[in-house]
Amino acid sequence: MTKFIYILTIFLLFNCRNYTKNEININSEFYELIVPENHKELLILFPGFGENNKGIKNESNLIKSALDEKISVLIIKTNRNLFLNKLEKEKIAKLVWEIINKNNIHGNEIYIGGFSAGGNLALQLGKYLTFYKNGEFNPKGIFVVDSPVDLIQLYKNCKQEVEKNNSILVNESTFVLNYLNQKIGKPKENLEEYKIFSPYLDSLKYIENVKFKETELVFYTEPALEFNRTIYKRGFEETNSFQLKNLHKELKENGFKTSYIETKNKGYRKNGKRNPHSWSIINEREILEWIKKKTMPNTVYD
């Protein structure tokens, strides 16, 4: 990841710029920046683990709709992380600062969003930006789309799937377990590290990494209880929805600005395949009104 950020910074100076009558499009190997004419706000998007910028465009109309509303969009092209370390956060924040200054973007109107693991990165970057340059680029809002915000719970869920030898989830679960063991270690032996890298820890009611004084947080998820029971053989407690619902409740009880939005039967991939873990569960118009009119989406329980 460090190498990725280093190369990404270099590409700020040596990248492919396409100027049209209405916008600036900077398309490097590692990120894409689109700046409409007469823009004001900036939307930063993180794809899910293994996804890229094309995946976001294929699965959602959010980018096109944002540009139509004169919102600049910065897309990190490929994501291979469940979390960011301190150096990675610092370098991405510097990258954002350089992009904003070099392209005359309004830095006081930043919104960040991410799908799945990308939502974790959105929260981490957002938190770091609240301190970066004395809070000059403090994000107005962050939205996450069905993200595994509790890495310890994610570890337990994956371990359980491997032990059950769940044919649908065993490969993915094995990969995630190996990733977490290599990057952080086992939760029982490395609790302090998980407190650093995980946005939230439900077992400890630990919310230090997502305490924002002013930033509004919006969590989108689709529990799809019957789908998860029949297809994945798992209950609500093993879903990302469970983690996000508990995080929302904890933040709300502590006075922070947060909304939790449950959807029903909206989760489908572009090819028509049913999957509640999809970009399609977001309400694009709702997000754009939030950015443009500062009307935060309301909590919705299915």
Side-chain angles (χ1 to χ4, degrees):
M1 181 66 181
T2 301
K3 181 179 179 181
F4 155 72
I5 299 298
Y6 173 75
I7 298 175
L8 187 56
T9 303
I10 291 177
F11 266 83
L12 283 169
L13 301 176
F14 304 95
N15 49 39
C16 176
R17 289 173 177 252
N18 294 316
Y19 294 87
T20 69
K21 182 178 180 180
N22 298 317
E23 65 183 32
I24 300 172
N25 190 315
I26 302 175
N27 201 345
S28 83
E29 183 179 353
F30 299 106
Y31 74 92
E32 182 176 2
L33 174 68
I34 310 173
V35 183
E37 190 178 35
N38 300 320
H39 72 279
K40 182 179 180 181
E41 303 88 357
L42 171 64
L43 174 61
I44 303 173
L45 294 176
F46 286 92
F49 194 100
E51 190 183 31
N52 56 30
N53 62 322
K54 292 181 180 179
I56 301 178
K57 292 177 179 179
N58 289 337
E59 295 294 334
S60 171
N61 293 320
L62 178 61
I63 294 173
K64 181 181 182 302
S65 299
L67 295 174
D68 289 341
E69 294 290 340
K70 306 300 182 183
I71 300 169
S72 296
V73 181
L74 170 63
I75 317 158
I76 304 302
K77 279 194 172 180
T78 304
N79 174 27
R80 297 287 182 185
N81 292 277
L82 287 172
F83 58 86
L84 301 170
N85 62 38
K86 184 177 180 180
L87 180 61
E88 291 163 349
K89 286 184 286 187
E90 180 179 353
K91 290 192 174 182
I92 293 179
K94 182 180 180 181
L95 169 68
V96 171
W97 180 78
E98 291 179 350
I99 286 176
I100 286 173
N101 282 277
K102 188 169 184 176
N103 297 283
N104 195 30
I105 295 172
H106 297 271
N108 61 342
E109 293 287 341
I110 297 176
Y111 290 78
I112 311 174
F115 168 64
S116 192
N120 288 6
L121 308 193
L123 289 168
Q124 286 189 295
L125 176 62
K127 185 67 174 180
Y128 193 82
L129 287 176
T130 63
F131 304 103
Y132 190 72
K133 300 291 181 181
N134 297 316
E136 182 179 349
F137 303 113
N138 187 29
K140 296 288 187 180
I142 301 172
F143 69 89
V144 306
V145 186
D146 203 41
S147 301
V149 291
D150 184 343
L151 295 183
I152 287 183
Q153 187 62 46
L154 175 63
Y155 189 101
K156 292 178 179 178
N157 291 344
C158 289
K159 185 178 180 181
Q160 183 172 314
E161 297 300 342
V162 172
E163 291 173 348
K164 290 191 302 184
N165 196 27
N166 187 323
S167 59
I168 298 178
L169 299 174
V170 67
N171 289 336
E172 177 183 341
S173 297
T174 300
F175 175 85
V176 172
L177 276 179
N178 290 337
Y179 176 96
L180 291 174
N181 280 326
Q182 180 182 2
K183 298 285 186 176
I184 310 179
K186 297 179 179 180
K188 287 185 178 181
E189 300 167 3
N190 300 276
L191 181 59
E192 292 304 312
E193 283 74 12
Y194 276 87
K195 289 170 70 174
I196 293 172
F197 297 122
S198 184
Y200 170 60
L201 294 176
D202 184 50
S203 59
L204 302 176
K205 303 302 177 186
Y206 188 78
I207 59 173
E208 293 301 316
N209 296 330
V210 285
K211 284 184 175 180
F212 292 87
K213 290 183 180 180
E214 300 297 332
T215 304
E216 298 173 339
L217 304 181
V218 177
F219 307 123
Y220 285 95
T221 190
E222 184 160 300
L225 300 181
E226 186 61 28
F227 177 90
N228 276 292
R229 275 195 297 264
T230 57
I231 303 300
Y232 292 141
K233 313 299 181 185
R234 63 185 178 188
F236 178 63
E237 293 76 11
E238 300 168 85
T239 65
N240 294 339
S241 301
F242 176 77
Q243 300 177 30
L244 291 169
K245 189 172 187 177
N246 286 351
L247 172 56
H248 164 72
K249 180 181 178 182
E250 196 68 27
L251 287 170
K252 201 72 175 177
E253 290 177 352
N254 283 274
F256 295 98
K257 301 175 183 179
T258 173
S259 290
Y260 169 82
I261 300 171
E262 284 186 359
T263 63
K264 184 176 182 180
N265 203 34
K266 286 188 65 177
Y268 286 86
R269 296 296 168 91
K270 205 67 173 181
N271 60 10
K273 185 177 181 181
R274 174 72 169 123
N275 192 331
H277 187 64
S278 299
W279 274 102
S280 64
I281 68 173
I282 66 172
N283 185 323
E284 294 163 3
R285 177 50 50 187
E286 186 176 63
I287 291 174
L288 296 179
E289 288 183 357
W290 177 30
I291 295 175
K292 300 300 292 187
K293 300 179 181 179
K294 307 303 179 283
T295 52
M296 183 181 181
N298 295 319
T299 292
V300 177
Y301 290 101
D302 177 33

